[in-house]
Amino acid sequence: MGSVQVADHKVSEEMKDDYSLDRVPREQRKMGWFSITNITFGIATAIFYFQMGSVMALQFGAINAIISSIYAIIVAGILGTFIAYISAKSGMNVNLFSRGGGFGYIGASLTSFIYATNFIMYCAFEGLILVSAVHTFFPALPKWALIIFFGSIVIPLNWFGIKQLDKLQKWSLPILAIFLTITIIISFHTPSVYEGAFWTYMPEGVQIGGQALLLCIGMQHGIMGLTALLSSDYARFLKPKDIKIGSVAIGFIPQIFCFGVMGGLGIWFGVRLGEPNPGVYIVLLLGIGGALFTMLTQLRINVTNIYSSSLSLSNFFENIFKFTPGRRFWVVVTGVCAMALMLGGIVDHLDTAMTFQGVFLLAWAAIIVSDAMIVKKLLKIGPGYYESRQEYLYKWNPVGVISLLISSCLGTIAALGYMGSFLQSTAAFFAAILAAILTVIIAVSTKGKYYSKSLPNDIPKDDYIA
């Protein structure tokens, strides 16, 4: 009987430490920077980055794809480092610290909802890559059945939160590394369809730089904001003594692997094999092993997508509707929504969605960073800490809300081509710069009035960022 109680207690301990609606207490910030960085590798090892690299190289030239990857590492790495630092200092994820970071508690709910839909759509997109790879080998199995099976399996993999994710990513990473090494070796021994060095490949009529490079950068923008913001969901568990090295590691290492290693391999595979779809060329290279490799990478990324989406939905419904069924309820909702998107074919419109979300996410990240580093730290406007509890906050803070609305609207108009070809390809970056400038201007104009309704007295001094 005693052993059963001990086992039940252990399970309940694993289930309760999600902190989806509150800051992680300092005594619960126990994870080292290596463990946190390892969890973020779930997104860094997604085959999606293969596909981006291959498509960019074959359409716009390998060197343009490489330059855009370096740009993505630098910009997303800087944003990710700042966001990881804010998260580790405050013990909050991006949804929570947005409340006291310029948006107000209702304003931040809008960002939480759009953020959640972003992860649901990526979950659907990544899931379809997996379904296509498996269906190639087992065409007798209907795609709808594979969608339901692989869409359902990520739900129990998310049931126990951050600790379960850590174990899953830690144990699967060596297996992934073995598969990846074998894929590279086999590719070396596969005749290349392009005779020159892969980085010299350039489609006919395409030049280095110019419009081709801008189009590559535009593609990178669709995912850069996500990878930077994602770090906050995990950095909040970072040990206080690891904050400095951890923020840089969590901010940059996943970006190096996302855009550098995986994106770079995608460029190499795409040029050598003359095929943009990794779901095709990995299966061609490894056979059934390719389907298993795809399965592993896509499950790793989708447990990360589901986790982040469940946190965002928890925040949104708690704030707007006072509905708090717990994070695991939202894990199920996210999984079901992703399956519905896959079954309904809505993912055929992902290009349009990614354009808007690239603009929105980079603008949001820019507001958070400029609010923390310029408004709070440099100008000393508003409180030097983050608060998420409604009793201390205004519903709306014009600093973040107005900055996001204006920059997202103008960025979307630019992305649709109404401001010329240059801004069309750099719309997300344009929106981010505009958002950062507006954040400072509005904060100075309002003198920080809408940051805090009353001052709490229970926030540890070590959680202050200014």
Side-chain angles (χ1 to χ4, degrees), residues 43-190:
I43 191 170
T45 53
I47 286 182
F48 177 76
Y49 296 100
F50 277 177
Q51 187 157 19
M52 280 186 64
S54 298
V55 168
M56 286 190 295
L58 291 175
Q59 288 188 9
F60 308 116
I63 195 68
N64 286 321
I66 291 168
I67 294 169
S68 75
S69 297
I70 295 169
Y71 161 83
I73 290 169
I74 294 170
V75 175
I78 292 171
L79 287 174
T81 297
F82 280 121
I83 289 168
Y85 173 78
I86 298 166
S87 178
K89 283 289 284 183
S90 65
M92 300 180 188
N93 69 358
V94 69
N95 299 296
L96 286 175
F97 66 65
S98 286
R99 297 182 186 184
F103 287 90
Y105 73 85
I106 296 295
S109 299
L110 302 179
T111 62
S112 295
F113 185 73
I114 298 175
Y115 194 45
T117 61
N118 177 84
F119 283 110
I120 291 170
M121 282 195 288
Y122 277 114
C123 187
F125 182 74
E126 301 285 359
L128 279 178
I129 293 177
L130 170 55
V131 166
S132 297
V134 175
H135 187 68
T136 301
F137 271 92
F138 303 104
L141 293 174
K143 281 194 173 182
W144 64 265
L146 292 172
I147 287 171
I148 292 172
F149 175 75
F150 289 115
S152 300
I153 202 170
V154 292
I155 294 173
L157 291 175
N158 246 291
W159 209 245
F160 298 112
I162 191 80
K163 293 178 182 177
Q164 184 180 14
L165 289 188
D166 183 32
K167 291 175 184 175
L168 175 68
Q169 306 292 36
K170 194 174 288 180
W171 286 105
S172 62
L173 189 60
I175 302 170
L176 182 89
I178 292 168
F179 267 122
L180 188 57
T181 303
I182 293 170
T183 306
I184 294 169
I185 291 170
I186 293 175
S187 181
F188 260 118
H189 292 88
T190 302

Side-chain angles (χ1 to χ4, degrees), residues 23 99-100 105 382-395 448-459 464:
R23 75 173 69 233
R99 297 182 186 184
Y105 73 85
Y385 56 84
Y386 286 94
E387 178 57 80
S388 63
R389 292 168 292 185
Q390 294 184 11
E391 59 265 33
Y392 297 106
L393 297 170
Y394 287 98
K395 289 184 178 181
K449 176 184 175 183
Y450 298 98
Y451 276 90
S452 185
K453 199 160 53 174
S454 58
L455 301 177
N457 56 11
D458 58 350
I459 297 177
Y464 280 56

Side-chain angles (χ1 to χ4, degrees), residues 85-413:
Y85 173 78
I86 298 166
S87 178
K89 283 289 284 183
S90 65
M92 300 180 188
N93 69 358
V94 69
N95 299 296
L96 286 175
F97 66 65
S98 286
R99 297 182 186 184
F103 287 90
Y105 73 85
I106 296 295
S109 299
L110 302 179
T111 62
S112 295
F113 185 73
I114 298 175
Y115 194 45
T117 61
N118 177 84
F119 283 110
I120 291 170
M121 282 195 288
Y122 277 114
C123 187
F125 182 74
E126 301 285 359
L128 279 178
I129 293 177
L130 170 55
V131 166
S132 297
V134 175
H135 187 68
T136 301
F137 271 92
F138 303 104
L141 293 174
K143 281 194 173 182
W144 64 265
L146 292 172
I147 287 171
I148 292 172
F149 175 75
F150 289 115
S152 300
I153 202 170
V154 292
I155 294 173
L157 291 175
N158 246 291
W159 209 245
F160 298 112
I162 191 80
K163 293 178 182 177
Q164 184 180 14
L165 289 188
D166 183 32
K167 291 175 184 175
L168 175 68
Q169 306 292 36
K170 194 174 288 180
W171 286 105
S172 62
L173 189 60
I175 302 170
L176 182 89
I178 292 168
F179 267 122
L180 188 57
T181 303
I182 293 170
T183 306
I184 294 169
I185 291 170
I186 293 175
S187 181
F188 260 118
H189 292 88
T190 302
S192 174
V193 298
Y194 178 67
E195 294 181 358
F198 83 96
W199 55 269
T200 63
Y201 174 80
M202 192 70 68
E204 190 176 344
V206 177
Q207 304 294 322
I208 296 174
Q211 188 65 19
L213 177 59
L214 289 175
L215 288 169
C216 286
I217 288 173
M219 287 181 68
Q220 301 283 21
H221 283 156
I223 192 73
M224 282 165 55
L226 175 71
T227 59
L229 289 163
L230 183 70
S231 62
S232 76
D233 288 333
Y234 311 103
R236 62 202 177 112
F237 292 97
L238 193 62
K239 292 177 183 175
K241 70 180 183 69
D242 284 357
I243 284 180
K244 287 186 178 177
I245 184 174
S247 298
V248 176
I250 296 165
F252 267 97
I253 293 176
Q255 318 300 339
I256 291 169
F257 272 81
C258 285
F259 303 106
V261 177
M262 298 297 281
L265 284 171
I267 295 168
W268 185 66
F269 285 135
V271 171
R272 280 186 61 85
L273 304 171
E275 169 60 55
N277 188 344
V280 173
Y281 60 66
I282 288 177
V283 170
L284 288 176
L285 289 171
L286 297 184
I288 188 67
L292 293 173
F293 179 32
T294 305
M295 190 182 305
L296 181 63
T297 60
Q298 302 316 90
L299 288 178
R300 281 170 57 86
I301 176 60
N302 268 353
V303 294
T304 306
N305 284 332
I306 293 276
Y307 182 76
S308 292
S309 182
S310 68
L311 294 179
S312 298
L313 288 174
S314 295
N315 274 276
F316 175 76
F317 281 90
E318 185 258 347
N319 253 2
I320 303 295
F321 302 107
K322 305 295 185 290
F323 181 56
T324 55
R327 188 191 64 84
R328 287 178 297 165
F329 174 83
W330 297 114
V331 165
V332 176
V333 170
T334 300
V336 170
C337 288
M339 283 186 273
L341 285 178
M342 287 188 274
L343 290 168
I346 302 176
V347 287
D348 295 339
H349 306 288
L350 265 179
D351 286 350
T352 305
M354 280 182 67
T355 298
F356 168 72
Q357 294 199 4
V359 167
F360 169 83
L361 292 175
L362 270 187
W364 184 19
I367 291 168
I368 289 166
V369 172
S370 58
D371 174 78
M373 299 301 151
I374 301 176
V375 175
K376 282 182 166 59
K377 215 171 178 69
L378 188 64
L379 300 178
K380 307 296 182 187
I381 295 174
Y385 56 84
Y386 286 94
E387 178 57 80
S388 63
R389 292 168 292 185
Q390 294 184 11
E391 59 265 33
Y392 297 106
L393 297 170
Y394 287 98
K395 289 184 178 181
W396 304 92
N397 186 339
V399 173
V401 174
I402 293 176
S403 298
L404 186 65
L405 287 174
I406 292 175
S407 60
S408 294
C409 288
L410 291 177
T412 301
I413 291 169

